[in-house]
Amino acid sequence: MSWGDPLGVTAVVGVFALVSTGAALLVGTLLHSPDQAPAIGPPLGVVLGMFGGCLWPRESSGEVINAIGHLFPHAWGMDALLTLAEPGTGLTAVLPQLGVLALMAALLLGTSLVLFSRRTPARV
């Protein structure tokens, strides 16, 4: 099985990395101590991975679980990567998924920036 179009895969992984960065910054901004991150991060990642179809095919889950999964970036990323794995597909085939992921990245990064700036005192 091929990973698909290299440009498409690079775009999906790159935008998903921005989503992950935004989520990590948001969680880090909301936590009160560094010891909370290991307690929250891995379980949250596993749950989101399950809903997004990263741990088993979403086809084996019901429609409700699949609908819930699309509230989170993992499902959009998996949809894009599975589309790119089909022969003859390229970057244009995953533009809708990339758009949703880019929107999620912008929201997470923007929210993180605003919250971080409110929690961090200005230094002169």
Side-chain angles (χ1 to χ4, degrees):
M1 179 176 197
S2 169
W3 282 89
D5 174 43
L7 181 60
V9 172
T10 301
V12 171
V13 171
V15 175
F16 196 86
L18 291 174
V19 171
S20 301
T21 301
L25 287 171
L26 181 61
V27 169
T29 300
L30 296 173
L31 298 179
H32 297 289
S33 77
D35 296 331
Q36 291 176 324
I40 293 173
L44 183 61
V46 169
V47 169
L48 294 179
M50 288 189 311
F51 279 122
C54 298
L55 302 179
W56 56 75
R58 278 202 332 268
E59 295 83 27
S60 63
S61 302
E63 289 182 32
V64 173
I65 298 296
N66 286 333
I68 291 170
H70 277 95
L71 296 174
F72 307 108
H74 296 69
W76 294 96
M78 285 300 298
D79 286 350
L81 292 174
L82 290 172
T83 298
L84 288 169
E86 296 172 9
T89 58
L91 180 63
T92 56
V94 295
L95 288 178
Q97 293 91 343
L98 285 172
V100 171
L101 288 170
L103 179 62
M104 289 180 174
L107 289 172
L108 287 166
L109 289 166
T111 302
S112 300
L113 179 63
V114 168
L115 291 176
F116 184 77
S117 66
R118 288 184 182 171
R119 292 181 135 222
T120 306
R123 296 180 190 224
V124 178

